Amino acid sequence: GIVNEAPPKPAPKESCTISRSSTMLAAQLGRALVRRIGRSSVSSAQFVRPLALSAFPPPRLFDYKTITANLKIDKDTIDAVEAAFGALAKGHVDVPMPMHIGIEETSVAGPGDCHIKGGYVSGTPTFTVKLACVSFYNNKNLNLPPGSGIFIVVNAVTGAPLGIFSENRFMTDLRTGAAGAVAMKHCTTATQDVVGFIGCGAIARNMARAAAAVRPIKGVAYAIDGAEQFAKDMEAELGMPFTVAPSAEALCRQSDVM
């Protein structure tokens, strides 16, 4: 059907003048750019989007050495992760599904995987995007770790990137350890102090530090490789007893928490 509507009112002459001036300025800048890069054959009609006349300041870069020297498992870390879980449970967090890029192995790349994740807690002044690369197993031939990671912290008011954290999974491991502390705090009792660790890599070390931040523990370790060194290191660092179990079953039978 035909809807009878009043014709739109013409825009004020002043706004039309401003609009024409902006368009003319963009066209002039476009033509100047074309001449500058030596592509005078390109029509100015291709420059339909006005060029930005200003830019955000560059984000601050935090390198791996700075990050590892200043961040650790402590009360602040655990409280931050606990608050994030609480906001998520209340529906106050926007966390889209992760994006995955598979890098097939060829003569020039891979194998490997890239994961891109991010989230925003409602009412906070920043949001964060994380890019993690994992399973680049050929890196061992280059004496490099099999993965890497960066966090980008963005101003939630302007959308400008504020900081880039070249954390190479260090912050990710801290987060995972802190999440274990939150679970232990809310899902165990004060008398459950024997904590078992199946697998004794980087995450297990942060889990041990996090558990010890909740209450004094007695650690029990089992791994195909590295359990003895893990137990020795953690006992020396935390000042709490650690023993090695002969099997995963034996560890489970004597542990209150795993």
Side-chain angles (χ1 to χ4, degrees):
I2 299 175
V3 179
N4 294 320
E5 294 181 345
K9 295 181 179 180
K13 183 176 181 180
E14 181 181 355
S15 65
C16 292
T17 303
I18 294 174
S19 177
R20 284 194 296 271
S21 299
S22 299
T23 303
M24 291 172 63
L25 175 60
Q28 290 170 356
L29 289 172
R31 286 191 291 270
L33 179 61
V34 168
R35 288 193 297 271
R36 188 168 184 176
I37 63 178
R39 294 173 61 190
S40 57
S41 61
V42 179
S43 169
S44 62
Q46 291 181 262
F47 292 87
V48 295
R49 179 178 178 183
L51 300 177
L53 300 181
S54 64
F56 294 116
R60 183 176 177 183
L61 174 64
F62 296 86
D63 61 21
Y64 184 78
K65 183 178 179 181
T66 300
I67 292 169
T68 55
N70 288 278
L71 296 181
K72 62 181 180 179
I73 290 284
D74 57 14
K75 185 178 183 301
D76 287 343
T77 309
I78 296 168
D79 287 349
V81 172
E82 183 175 6
F85 278 133
L88 179 64
K90 295 174 184 177
H92 296 164
V93 183
D94 183 15
V95 185
M97 292 294 293
M99 173 183 173
H100 172 258
I101 303 173
I103 312 298
E104 64 176 319
E105 185 171 13
T106 65
S107 61
V108 297
D113 295 278
C114 176
H115 306 145
I116 302 171
K117 310 170 184 178
Y120 174 64
V121 180
S122 180
T124 57
T126 62
F127 65 92
T128 301
V129 177
K130 170 189 171 183
L131 185 150
C133 292
V134 299
S135 306
F136 283 79
Y137 296 121
N138 286 339
N139 282 0
K140 64 183 180 181
N141 301 326
L142 304 173
N143 198 30
L144 294 172
S148 65
I150 62 170
F151 283 71
I152 303 173
V153 177
V154 183
N155 188 316
V157 177
T158 66
L162 299 175
I164 297 175
F165 293 76
S166 183
E167 52 93 39
N168 290 332
R169 302 196 297 179
F170 180 81
M171 291 168 63
T172 297
D173 291 346
L174 288 184
R175 184 279 322 275
T176 304
V182 174
M184 185 169 172
K185 175 181 176 181
H186 292 283
C187 301
T188 67
T189 67
T191 59
Q192 293 177 311
D193 60 354
V194 181
V195 182
F197 301 89
I198 298 180
C200 297
I203 291 178
R205 291 172 181 265
N206 280 326
M207 286 286 189
R209 295 171 183 128
V214 176
R215 69 178 71 104
I217 65 169
K218 305 178 187 73
V220 183
Y222 173 75
I224 295 175
D225 184 42
E228 290 80 6
Q229 190 64 49
F230 168 83
K232 179 181 178 181
D233 292 347
M234 290 296 97
E235 184 168 315
E237 178 181 331
L238 301 175
M240 301 176 189
F242 276 73
T243 59
V244 177
S247 66
E249 180 180 353
L251 180 146
C252 293
R253 290 186 180 279
Q254 60 182 296
S255 299
D256 299 317
V257 184
M258 290 181 286

